[in-house]
Amino acid sequence: MNASPNGAILSAAGIHKRFGALVVLDDVDFAMGADEAVGIVGPNGAGKTTLLSVLSGAYPPSAGTIAFKGGDVTALPATQRCRLGLVRTHQVPKPFGGMTAFENVFVAASHGAGLGRDEAYEEALASLKLCGMLGVANRRAETLGLLDRKRLELARALAAKPTLLLLDEIGGGLTDGEAGELVETIRELRRRQIGIVWIEHIVHILLQVAERLICMDAGRIIADGDPQAVMADPQVIGAYLGGGPK
Ligand SMILES: Nc1ncnc2c1ncn2[C@@H]1O[C@H](COP(=O)(O)OP(=O)(O)OP(=O)(O)O)[C@@H](O)[C@H]1O
Ligand SMILES: [Mg+2]
């Protein structure tokens, strides 16, 4: 199958991922346009994070191909995909310990985006500001609480100057006010024409931004399309053991 359908900024075809005998991704096809905001939901263990890891280059797929901006990136390491503009956040934040929040974001701007020193400095400050983190910029990353570590993940990803941003559960545990701020930040990214793939269990936050929703279950995409239609899909409701996504 062609991994780069016309008009898609990112496309993945026939993706399988196994960890030993465990099949985690089972023949996933996915394609999206540059201007899309796509939400991904699915029960725990469905393979959502693994899909993001395969798309971003953290793991090679066991089979299948991935294209970004018209080129085959299947064999490219994550750092090179990042330079091309394909950037992810981690479900479990992974800041560099021993560095301040600012230094973490500066490294992303200089190494992730390849910016020179002055530009990286400005980009790092702008990203921290956008994520409401200027007040903790000089705190060491490991001393930050979970909420700020998640914000730092987002600030780092932004400083790498993404064209397409892959977000993995950045909204969990937020108060209503904090969730509102996060939605505003993501809307600002949309205004800047950054494409978004956002995995989130808290669907009412996701639906404020996503124009298209994908549901995964047991390593497969079981529904893909209009968010309301996906939420009402009996297979999606069934995947959540009758409860439906929240
Ligand atoms: N590095 C790994 N080695 C072995 N098994 C793994 C690895 N990463 C993930 N898995 C397994 O793959 C399956 C899918 O995990 P994944 O983290 O992709 O799910 P998820 O949909 O993101 O779940 P959650 O909503 O809980 O974050 C799980 O059974 C998990 O235990
Ligand atoms: Mg996950």
PDB file of all heavy atoms in Angstrom, residues 48-49 91 168-169 199, ligand 2:
ATOM      1  N   LYS A  48      -2.737   3.054  21.944  1.00  0.00           N
ATOM      2  CA  LYS A  48      -2.701   4.457  21.531  1.00  0.00           C
ATOM      3  C   LYS A  48      -1.287   5.034  21.637  1.00  0.00           C
ATOM      4  O   LYS A  48      -0.770   5.631  20.697  1.00  0.00           O
ATOM      5  CB  LYS A  48      -3.674   5.291  22.399  1.00  0.00           C
ATOM      6  CG  LYS A  48      -5.108   4.769  22.384  1.00  0.00           C
ATOM      7  CD  LYS A  48      -6.035   5.589  23.256  1.00  0.00           C
ATOM      8  CE  LYS A  48      -5.693   5.632  24.731  1.00  0.00           C
ATOM      9  NZ  LYS A  48      -5.821   4.318  25.427  1.00  0.00           N
ATOM     10  N   THR A  49      -0.679   4.873  22.818  1.00  0.00           N
ATOM     11  CA  THR A  49       0.667   5.411  23.012  1.00  0.00           C
ATOM     12  C   THR A  49       1.654   4.719  22.075  1.00  0.00           C
ATOM     13  O   THR A  49       2.553   5.364  21.515  1.00  0.00           O
ATOM     14  CB  THR A  49       1.100   5.229  24.489  1.00  0.00           C
ATOM     15  OG1 THR A  49       0.260   6.035  25.306  1.00  0.00           O
ATOM     16  CG2 THR A  49       2.544   5.649  24.705  1.00  0.00           C
ATOM     17  N   GLN A  91       3.436  10.513  27.557  1.00  0.00           N
ATOM     18  CA  GLN A  91       2.372  10.310  28.553  1.00  0.00           C
ATOM     19  C   GLN A  91       2.950  10.457  29.965  1.00  0.00           C
ATOM     20  O   GLN A  91       2.351  11.070  30.832  1.00  0.00           O
ATOM     21  CB  GLN A  91       1.746   8.927  28.354  1.00  0.00           C
ATOM     22  CG  GLN A  91       0.589   8.637  29.282  1.00  0.00           C
ATOM     23  CD  GLN A  91      -0.136   7.350  28.903  1.00  0.00           C
ATOM     24  OE1 GLN A  91       0.125   6.748  27.859  1.00  0.00           O
ATOM     25  NE2 GLN A  91      -1.039   6.913  29.751  1.00  0.00           N
ATOM     26  N   ASP A 168       0.078  13.143  24.048  1.00  0.00           N
ATOM     27  CA  ASP A 168      -0.349  11.919  24.731  1.00  0.00           C
ATOM     28  C   ASP A 168      -0.772  12.232  26.163  1.00  0.00           C
ATOM     29  O   ASP A 168       0.068  12.383  27.051  1.00  0.00           O
ATOM     30  CB  ASP A 168       0.799  10.906  24.734  1.00  0.00           C
ATOM     31  CG  ASP A 168       0.310   9.508  25.080  1.00  0.00           C
ATOM     32  OD1 ASP A 168      -0.878   9.337  25.410  1.00  0.00           O
ATOM     33  OD2 ASP A 168       1.140   8.573  25.010  1.00  0.00           O
ATOM     34  N   GLU A 169      -2.075  12.360  26.366  1.00  0.00           N
ATOM     35  CA  GLU A 169      -2.656  12.554  27.697  1.00  0.00           C
ATOM     36  C   GLU A 169      -2.010  13.696  28.457  1.00  0.00           C
ATOM     37  O   GLU A 169      -1.400  13.501  29.503  1.00  0.00           O
ATOM     38  CB  GLU A 169      -2.591  11.251  28.505  1.00  0.00           C
ATOM     39  CG  GLU A 169      -3.488  10.189  27.894  1.00  0.00           C
ATOM     40  CD  GLU A 169      -3.808   9.056  28.846  1.00  0.00           C
ATOM     41  OE1 GLU A 169      -3.906   9.309  30.058  1.00  0.00           O
ATOM     42  OE2 GLU A 169      -3.973   7.931  28.370  1.00  0.00           O
ATOM     43  N   ILE A 199      -4.220  12.228  22.016  1.00  0.00           N
ATOM     44  CA  ILE A 199      -4.777  11.101  22.774  1.00  0.00           C
ATOM     45  C   ILE A 199      -5.245  11.640  24.120  1.00  0.00           C
ATOM     46  O   ILE A 199      -4.470  12.304  24.826  1.00  0.00           O
ATOM     47  CB  ILE A 199      -3.697  10.031  23.059  1.00  0.00           C
ATOM     48  CG1 ILE A 199      -3.172   9.428  21.771  1.00  0.00           C
ATOM     49  CG2 ILE A 199      -4.250   8.944  23.990  1.00  0.00           C
ATOM     50  CD1 ILE A 199      -1.962   8.514  21.992  1.00  0.00           C
TER      51      ILE A 199
HETATM   52 MG    MG B   2      -1.146   5.505  26.635  1.00  0.00          MG
END
